[in-house]
Amino acid sequence: MQPDEARAAFTEQITALAAAGADLIVIETMSDLYEIQEVIRAARQACALPIVASMTFTRDDCTVLGDLPEKVARTLAETGADVLGVNCSGGPTQLLRLLKQMRSATPVAKFWVKPNAGWPEQIGGRIMYPADPAYFGDYALAFCEAGADIVGGCCGTTPKHIAAMRAALDTVPGGCGPAVGEISLDTDAEEHTAPPERPSQLAQKLADGKFVIAVEMDPPRGLSTHKLVAGASLLADAGADVINVADSPMARMRMSAWAVCDVIQHQVGVETTLHFPTRGRNLLRVQGDLLAAHALGIHNVFVVMGDPTSIGDYPEAMDNYDLVPSGLIKLIKQGFNVGMDHSGTSIGQPTDFFVGAALNLNPPEPESEIKNLHRKVKNGADFFLTQPIYRPEDGPAFLEKYAALHGPLDRPVLAGILPLVSLKHANFLHHEVPGVSIPAETRQRMEKAGEDAPRAGVELAVELIQKIKPWAQGIYIMPQFNRYDLVAEIIEKVKVDK
């Protein structure tokens, strides 16, 4: 359903309610911030009655679409709600926490709070709620002291719960709400006293309009990093701007990617981009790993889904995840980079991650890829790395389709370059790797090269790079079979041709 269709449906209902004599429009138990905005607009269009707009949150203190309490409060107020609310969700403890967070963002707003009677559980075939009336009475005072203007109960509450709340509030007839200046979050977060971080070198080069060269490297299978450091040094000397470090490529056990990033940055002196798959990580692991990477000085991250464990060394390993790539982009850009974790709790100093995302310029379903691309853009992706391409026209063709629907893509695109080393290699990629299509003339050229196929692969890559420069802001080279010598040659030729 489109927003205007939703608004029309809500307008019809609200118009009827207002005509029947309603005194107040209550919009509650809403989980979608976009939807509740349309209801508020519909109410404003249909009548002049006061509006209560109340959202519900998941156990991790965000909406089902990942919106944090502070953003919800600001959005509801800006859209025109007279009273901002939170209801249902969990029990009184969670809603008190949510109230404080929402009120910190909109301190002069009026608030309504209606918790469930705790988290429900099934006992003897019945759904039961654990919080008793006395407990609700205690929290009525806590809500009042935190700045709530209207309190009540949602699922699992009874007349006894409401009576206990009323009795508790009657013990403070003079009122108990805080002054605006007294409102603060109960948090043990550090003060934001650290100096602001400088943009990463990758971010700065792209902002300056430089043609950037990124090269992917795989972590070692064991403890030794000698070959890794030697390869990174060769690439850096050739002119690579940044080294991308893959995380468990093909779902095979390797050294931690962020440890490899740290080794390369300290021993080679070239900046890295950490590949960060969401697969196999829950929310705790995702956020802990992000903080660890930032503490090590790794500020570029490339968010991907990751390879399924079923194709790797440990097919029986856990493959669960809490976030898809677009959700992780949103967590980083709208959470960590403004100083908050996924639950809305302060992390102290904000991070300054520069976030990349994946893009397929030759997708089997362009409409789906365009939809995913637009979602990543809206959630804050800073740049895009594409899957390997072998036709320079693939880029403009796809980007024109995107522009027709959403306007020109305003984020840098680094085109994927996968140098060929033999005819067998080219045929394998063309016939067996999804999303890779190699023109017949390219495969014929590799066949004619014979034993000189690796050299032909270098020439083809350099020619392709020259042709994509009009629309790409850089290249993302994926060496095959650890042939970093061939990639170094490609980089040197591209640098000379500038």
Side-chain angles (χ1 to χ4, degrees):
M1 179 178 288
Q2 297 301 312
D4 56 345
E5 296 174 325
R7 191 185 308 177
F10 288 126
T11 299
E12 180 181 2
Q13 299 173 57
I14 295 169
T15 299
L17 293 170
D23 299 307
L24 177 70
I25 300 298
V26 177
I27 311 160
E28 69 172 10
T29 324
M30 302 292 284
S31 59
D32 187 328
L33 191 55
Y34 293 106
E35 183 180 20
I36 197 171
Q37 289 180 77
E38 295 306 323
V39 189
I40 296 170
R41 294 181 183 119
R44 282 281 170 245
Q45 178 181 331
C47 66
L49 295 175
I51 301 169
V52 176
S54 183
M55 293 283 288
T56 185
F57 293 79
T58 62
R59 288 194 182 206
D60 55 4
D61 288 1
C62 64
T63 69
V64 293
L65 296 181
D67 295 307
L68 299 173
E70 292 87 348
K71 178 183 178 181
V72 168
R74 287 191 294 267
T75 301
L76 297 181
E78 292 166 0
T79 309
D82 297 294
V83 179
L84 316 185
V86 54
N87 75 286
C88 200
S89 308
T93 299
Q94 183 192 22
L95 265 64
L96 178 61
R97 186 169 65 246
L98 292 169
L99 169 63
K100 291 179 178 180
Q101 294 174 20
M102 294 174 72
R103 194 165 174 83
S104 72
T106 53
V108 298
K110 294 187 179 298
F111 284 88
W112 132 318
V113 183
K114 292 173 54 182
N116 289 344
W119 288 103
E121 54 184 337
Q122 191 168 19
I123 300 176
R126 298 180 60 192
I127 300 298
M128 306 294 290
Y129 289 83
D132 61 24
Y135 186 74
F136 256 60
D138 292 338
Y139 266 91
L141 291 174
F143 290 143
C144 182
E145 291 168 356
D149 299 280
I150 302 171
V151 296
C154 200
C155 303
T157 56
T158 67
K160 292 182 179 179
H161 287 82
I162 303 305
M165 297 177 85
R166 177 71 272 169
L169 292 172
D170 285 343
T171 64
V172 284
C176 54
V180 170
E182 296 174 351
I183 297 167
S184 63
L185 285 177
D186 181 16
T187 177
D188 58 358
E190 303 170 12
E191 293 294 328
H192 295 190
T193 56
E197 299 277 357
R198 296 176 60 187
S200 71
Q201 295 175 29
L202 175 61
Q204 191 62 59
K205 288 177 180 179
L206 288 172
D208 292 342
K210 295 182 179 179
F211 190 80
V212 168
I213 299 176
V215 184
E216 180 178 297
M217 297 189 74
D218 292 340
R221 297 180 183 274
L223 288 174
S224 176
T225 59
H226 292 90
K227 291 183 179 180
L228 173 86
V229 171
S233 298
L234 175 65
L235 296 170
D237 291 342
D241 295 291
V242 63
I243 301 296
N244 282 49
V245 180
D247 187 308
S248 301
M250 300 300 294
R252 292 177 179 172
M253 192 284 293
R254 290 179 180 267
M255 183 181 290
S256 164
W258 36 276
V260 172
C261 286
D262 183 62
V263 169
I264 292 174
Q265 292 191 163
H266 283 88
Q267 295 191 30
V268 181
V270 63
E271 192 171 73
T272 62
T273 295
L274 171 67
H275 286 210
F276 201 99
T278 64
R279 192 186 298 274
R281 284 178 162 116
N282 62 26
L283 271 170
L284 290 173
R285 168 93 186 277
V286 162
Q287 296 178 100
D289 286 355
L290 284 171
L291 290 175
H294 201 277
L296 291 172
I298 305 163
H299 295 178
N300 304 315
V301 292
F302 174 53
V303 174
V304 290
M305 190 71 200
D307 296 317
T309 57
S310 59
I311 69 171
D313 298 332
Y314 299 91
E316 74 284 356
M318 182 203 59
D319 210 15
N320 300 331
Y321 53 89
D322 287 340
L323 293 171
V324 296
S326 59
L328 179 54
I329 293 167
K330 184 174 183 179
L331 184 155
I332 297 171
K333 296 294 292 185
Q334 300 179 28
F336 271 42
N337 276 13
V338 296
M340 291 184 295
D341 69 8
H342 193 263
S343 71
T345 302
S346 172
I347 61 171
Q349 178 187 355
T351 59
D352 67 336
F353 283 115
F354 190 60
V355 182
L359 172 60
N360 187 352
L361 295 174
N362 188 31
E365 298 180 357
E367 295 79 9
S368 177
E369 184 68 18
I370 288 172
K371 182 179 179 181
N372 288 334
L373 171 58
H374 189 54
R375 184 183 298 115
K376 293 172 184 177
V377 170
K378 288 197 302 180
N379 286 352
D382 296 300
F383 67 99
F384 290 91
L385 304 180
T386 82
Q387 288 193 358
I389 64 167
Y390 292 92
R391 295 182 178 87
E393 62 271 21
D394 285 350
F398 178 85
L399 295 174
E400 286 171 9
K401 292 178 182 177
Y402 178 86
L405 293 173
H406 304 292
L409 180 64
D410 60 353
R411 311 296 160 88
V413 174
L414 276 63
I417 304 294
L418 196 157
L420 302 173
V421 297
S422 68
L423 174 62
K424 181 179 180 181
H425 181 217
N427 283 333
F428 169 78
L429 292 173
H430 179 72
H431 293 288
E432 297 194 38
V433 178
V436 176
S437 175
I438 302 177
E441 55 270 25
T442 298
R443 285 177 278 139
Q444 291 167 4
R445 190 163 159 185
M446 293 297 293
E447 182 178 15
K448 290 179 181 178
E451 293 182 358
D452 290 331
R455 184 71 48 214
V458 169
E459 294 171 356
L460 285 164
V462 173
E463 292 168 10
L464 177 61
I465 292 167
Q466 298 305 331
K467 293 176 181 177
I468 67 173
K469 282 187 175 181
W471 56 265
Q473 289 70 50
I475 52 174
Y476 165 49
I477 307 178
M478 292 159 266
Q480 295 295 285
F481 315 114
N482 295 325
R483 291 299 303 270
Y484 301 125
D485 56 326
L486 297 179
V487 173
E489 187 175 344
I490 292 171
I491 295 172
E492 289 170 352
K493 288 180 179 294
V494 172
K495 293 281 187 179
V496 170
D497 290 342
K498 283 187 175 181

